[in-house]
Amino acid sequence: MFRIKDSVEFQGKEYVISKFLGQGGMGHVFSIEEKHGNSKFALKSLQYFLPDDNNHRSLINEWEKAQHITHKNVICYRGFHDGLTEPKTPYLVMDLAEGGSLEDFLLAQHEFMEEDACLEIFHQIIDGMEAVNEILVHRDIKPDNIFIEKGIFKIADFGLAKIAEEKTRSKTFKGWGTAPYIAPEAYRAEKNTIQMDMYSIGHVFYQIAGMQHAYGTPHDWEQAHLTSVPKALNTVNAKISPKVSSVVNKLMAKRPSARFKAWDEVRQELINATQNVGDHRSAIDNILQKKISRDLKAEEALSEQQVKEKELKRKNDILNFQFKNEIIQPVNEFVDNFNKVSGADSAMSISKISDMGDLTSDIRFDRKAVNIWFHKINDSDVLSRYADDRWGESRLHVTKPTLNGKPVLAWGGVESSDGTGLNLVLVASEDDDYGDWYLLKNTHSAIAHRRDNRPDPFAFTTDELVKEIHHVGVMHIYNFNVSALEIDNIIEFISNVF
């Protein structure tokens, strides 16, 4: 760990650590001064690291790449020390920007800036990002990582960026961005592209012109990035034109494919926004404003759909867990215990089969089989019929499956190769998201005029259950014996088959 007045050697010269500048995501930042000269730089140290592990090698690789980025709107990296020799702390030496950060600049803002002033900053940041993205995907763009030196805005802290187009499925030790600026696809661990940086920059631009984050201060940033839709920037700052607002909206689009493909496209769109269109400005702005409204509504619809899909996936994951953990896992344990006793010559097998989204397991022993299947209720699992309403008009009535007055979440069956079987029904619980299991033992009723060929007890197919579940508890051609499911019911059925 470095301290004030410590000395470091860099490119054959001795430097003294003169001032502590702050703490970043990876370590401490200091200013250093040449001991026998006038040069001044910034030194950024890595506080915690494991020597020569994968993350450390990735860090050094990216620092080597970063040294090739030279542009007036980028903090230039002068060199680095890998920490494998003394001092045992990796550090990066870079140009020193003494004008503060964009974050400091924004905190000092007390009124909305004019569009021309915003565009001047936007273009500088675009130029810097274009230079960075030629080599790296930054992945941690935020106002704190943009510095100001004599009125020039400079991109910094790209030393831990991921190589452009590289696909990663893990988070680095530094992290993977700062919550208010992380692109939606980063939460899904998708491929790193410059569109991730565009999304972050879109939020930075919004903050510069709107004096607030596009999503305010939500409690759940991930949810905000995945589903929230901001107000149009020009409705927040009336000095911003609809055209510039639409460019910022496009940068912040949820889907990477809906953003710009290259920084020059962003640049040209912003240049076009300043074109002199004479007396037609009002009409053009009116049309663009209506397009922004339509685009935002489309984003809202997409966000609502994503919320529904996320909730559906969460519920499906819970249902799959219940089936695997509460039904299949105990059966697996039974099969394992049986095989410990029976020996290799009389082994019982269990295998997983997937059929059109339903989960099934197949158990085999001595040329006999038991199949356990599981089906999650979906929109097609309803009973539909036409009936006259009170005014005599025929209307479609849709009834969702219930058992004992509670919604059915999923159902399944345990069926043997001899035709016997039982049904499993998972119904909604009043206490939590997990359902309660019930067992249906179905037999033919004495009032049936004729029996089908199935032996008693038998399992209904999923298509039959859609209709028959509504007959539980009423006089019918089938008897339904309903009881709370115990796993021993299934084990006993399997033992009787084999």
Side-chain angles (χ1 to χ4, degrees):
M1 181 180 293
F2 293 110
R3 291 179 172 83
I4 303 300
K5 295 184 179 181
D6 282 354
S7 295
V8 295
E9 186 174 320
F10 175 63
Q11 295 181 346
K13 297 180 181 180
E14 188 178 1
Y15 289 82
V16 177
I17 296 178
S18 59
K19 186 178 180 181
F20 176 72
L21 299 178
Q23 183 165 349
M26 60 179 286
H28 297 140
V29 186
F30 303 90
S31 63
I32 60 174
E33 297 181 6
E34 188 180 356
K35 193 168 186 178
H36 302 293
N38 300 318
S39 297
K40 294 172 66 175
F41 295 105
L43 179 149
K44 190 162 193 176
S45 67
L46 180 63
Q47 192 170 4
Y48 305 106
F49 82 106
L50 296 174
D52 209 29
D53 73 347
N54 288 335
N55 283 328
H56 176 260
R57 286 189 289 271
S58 175
L59 166 74
I60 300 307
N61 178 54
E62 291 181 0
W63 280 1
E64 287 176 344
K65 296 278 185 182
Q67 288 183 111
H68 298 289
I69 303 172
T70 56
H71 192 277
K72 70 175 184 177
N73 296 115
V74 174
I75 292 291
C76 182
Y77 288 1
R78 300 294 180 175
F80 63 88
H81 172 67
D82 61 16
L84 298 179
T85 58
E86 291 296 337
K88 295 291 188 178
T89 301
Y91 62 82
L92 180 69
V93 177
M94 65 191 81
D95 286 346
L96 180 64
E98 298 185 281
S101 68
L102 176 59
E103 178 72 14
D104 301 327
F105 176 86
L106 295 177
L107 289 173
Q109 251 183 272
H110 299 298
E111 60 181 25
F112 291 120
M113 289 194 294
E114 298 289 338
E115 182 170 277
D116 288 347
C118 292
L119 289 175
E120 171 60 29
I121 300 173
F122 290 0
H123 280 293
Q124 289 193 50
I125 293 174
I126 288 168
D127 292 346
M129 285 307 305
E130 188 172 50
V132 170
N133 285 159
E134 284 180 1
I135 296 175
L136 301 169
V137 176
H138 194 300
R139 275 202 98 188
D140 195 16
I141 293 294
K142 56 184 176 181
D144 263 342
N145 285 341
I146 300 173
F147 290 91
I148 306 170
E149 177 64 14
K150 297 179 181 179
I152 305 298
F153 290 77
K154 295 174 178 284
I155 309 297
D157 204 18
F158 45 86
L160 289 176
K162 292 292 177 186
I163 304 304
E165 298 301 325
E166 177 192 354
K167 193 171 185 178
T168 179
R169 294 290 176 185
S170 63
K171 303 172 188 177
T172 70
F173 53 85
K174 179 193 180 229
W176 53 310
T178 303
Y181 306 95
I182 296 174
E185 63 270 25
Y187 289 100
R188 300 187 293 269
E190 294 180 3
K191 179 190 291 187
N192 289 337
T193 67
I194 68 170
Q195 280 67 39
M196 282 184 171
D197 286 346
M198 286 185 175
Y199 181 86
S200 302
I201 288 294
H203 281 278
V204 170
F205 285 179
Y206 194 104
Q207 206 165 339
I208 291 170
M211 296 179 63
Q212 64 185 46
H213 192 280
Y215 300 142
T217 55
H219 296 296
D220 186 339
W221 280 107
E222 178 179 357
Q223 187 72 6
H225 287 298
L226 293 174
T227 62
S228 295
V229 178
K231 294 179 180 178
L233 180 56
N234 62 303
T235 65
V236 176
N237 179 358
K239 299 174 182 178
I240 301 299
S241 66
K243 176 60 179 177
V244 170
S245 180
S246 69
V247 173
V248 176
N249 281 349
K250 188 169 181 177
L251 285 168
M252 297 189 298
K254 302 294 184 194
R255 291 177 174 169
S257 60
R259 299 171 207 150
F260 296 94
K261 291 182 174 60
W263 285 109
D264 191 53
E265 290 183 18
V266 187
R267 181 186 294 113
Q268 292 304 318
E269 286 293 308
L270 291 177
I271 291 173
N272 291 342
T274 63
Q275 296 299 310
N276 185 353
V277 292
D279 297 336
H280 300 302
R281 168 61 69 184
S282 177
I284 291 172
D285 284 353
N286 181 49
I287 294 171
L288 290 174
Q289 183 58 50
K290 287 190 286 186
K291 183 181 185 304
I292 289 173
S293 297
R294 290 193 296 270
D295 289 344
L296 289 177
K297 285 182 180 179
E299 281 281 291
E300 288 172 359
L302 174 62
S303 295
E304 289 175 5
Q305 181 63 28
Q306 289 176 330
V307 170
K308 291 178 182 177
E309 289 174 357
K310 185 176 181 180
E311 178 62 15
L312 179 61
K313 183 181 183 305
R314 185 184 71 85
K315 290 181 178 179
N316 282 341
D317 287 345
I318 290 174
L319 295 177
N320 288 342
F321 168 80
Q322 281 205 258
F323 177 65
K324 293 175 182 177
N325 190 66
E326 298 172 10
I327 303 296
I328 297 303
Q329 182 58 34
V331 172
N332 264 313
E333 291 174 0
F334 167 75
V335 172
D336 289 342
N337 289 333
F338 177 86
N339 288 335
K340 288 176 183 177
V341 176
S342 68
D345 293 336
S346 301
M348 187 181 297
S349 67
I350 181 168
S351 59
K352 298 177 183 178
I353 306 170
S354 180
D355 182 21
M356 297 179 63
D358 291 346
L359 303 177
T360 66
S361 286
D362 197 48
I363 307 163
R364 293 186 177 273
F365 175 73
D366 195 26
R367 292 177 292 182
K368 294 185 178 182
V370 172
N371 180 262
I372 305 176
W373 59 269
F374 179 71
H375 171 79
K376 297 179 288 291
I377 299 300
N378 57 50
D379 291 341
S380 66
D381 296 314
V382 295
L383 186 64
S384 301
R385 63 186 180 86
Y386 281 92
D388 291 343
D389 60 19
R390 59 190 296 184
W391 295 281
E393 294 187 18
S394 180
R395 296 188 182 277
L396 179 64
H397 293 262
V398 176
T399 306
K400 296 181 179 180
T402 62
L403 181 66
N404 297 334
K406 296 180 180 179
V408 173
L409 303 175
W411 50 40
V414 185
E415 299 180 85
S416 74
S417 51
D418 64 12
T420 58
L422 306 167
N423 279 119
L424 315 174
V425 183
L426 188 65
V427 303
S429 170
E430 296 177 353
D431 299 325
D432 51 41
D433 290 332
Y434 296 91
D436 298 319
W437 288 104
Y438 286 89
L439 181 73
L440 291 187
K441 190 173 183 181
N442 315 306
T443 57
H444 294 84
S445 169
I447 67 171
H449 296 295
R450 63 182 179 85
R451 295 165 56 94
D452 53 37
N453 295 324
R454 290 180 290 196
D456 292 333
F458 61 87
F460 289 114
T461 66
T462 187
D463 291 337
E464 289 177 308
L465 276 168
V466 170
K467 302 174 183 177
E468 300 300 341
I469 196 76
H470 302 283
H471 296 137
V472 173
V474 301
M475 187 174 292
H476 190 50
I477 60 172
Y478 300 119
N479 290 323
F480 304 89
N481 188 318
V482 182
S483 61
L485 175 65
E486 300 287 344
I487 195 62
D488 287 345
N489 301 141
I490 297 177
I491 301 301
E492 181 183 2
F493 178 85
I494 293 171
S495 68
N496 289 337
V497 171
F498 294 147

